[in-house]
Amino acid sequence: MTIIAGKNAIDVGIVVKDIASSLNFYCNILGLEKVQEMPLWIGTMHRLAFGDSFVKLVDPKEIPPATTIGLASSLGIRYLTLQVSNLDKICDVCKSNAVPFELEKTELAPGVTIAMVHDPDGNTVEFVQRD
């Protein structure tokens, strides 16, 4: 049996250390819209809209240990990709807010440009622009 998609998107949940810093990064710097706050058994989920997808920031009741920062530093889900159409603006805003870059704006292939930054917990967020 294969999975049948219920929508043309995928949502991701990120457990964060400091919800205020994470909301500032994802909402104020990147511009995602907070659409819901919901209590969970492990804490509070803040649902942020990005196209048809959601980034779900979880503010835990008890903060678990962090993983090592960096793309190739440990196993597991290492980055989140956001398809965008304004990469230059995003890079400028991230730089002006002292957001650390994993990878500066780079042409990966003809017509495909990417940049990668770290969120407040060190998770890598990749931006991809296709011409």
Side-chain angles (χ1 to χ4, degrees), residues 40-100:
L40 301 175
W41 67 100
I42 60 168
T44 304
M45 179 187 65
H46 301 256
R47 204 162 68 135
L48 314 177
F50 179 77
D52 292 332
S53 298
F54 294 100
V55 174
K56 301 182 289 187
L57 301 180
V58 177
D59 182 16
K61 291 178 184 175
E62 295 182 30
I63 298 176
T67 60
T68 307
I69 295 174
L71 215 51
S73 62
S74 63
L75 299 175
I77 297 172
R78 302 306 305 152
Y79 63 99
L80 162 69
T81 301
L82 304 176
Q83 297 279 335
V84 301
S85 59
N86 61 338
L87 184 59
D88 288 333
K89 171 94 172 149
I90 293 165
C91 290
D92 290 345
V93 169
C94 286
K95 285 178 184 175
S96 70
N97 282 279
V99 173

Side-chain angles (χ1 to χ4, degrees), residues 24-32 82 90 93-94 117 125 127:
N24 181 59
F25 174 75
Y26 285 99
C27 296
N28 298 333
I29 295 174
L30 298 186
L32 277 65
L82 304 176
I90 293 165
V93 169
C94 286
V117 299
V125 179
F127 307 106

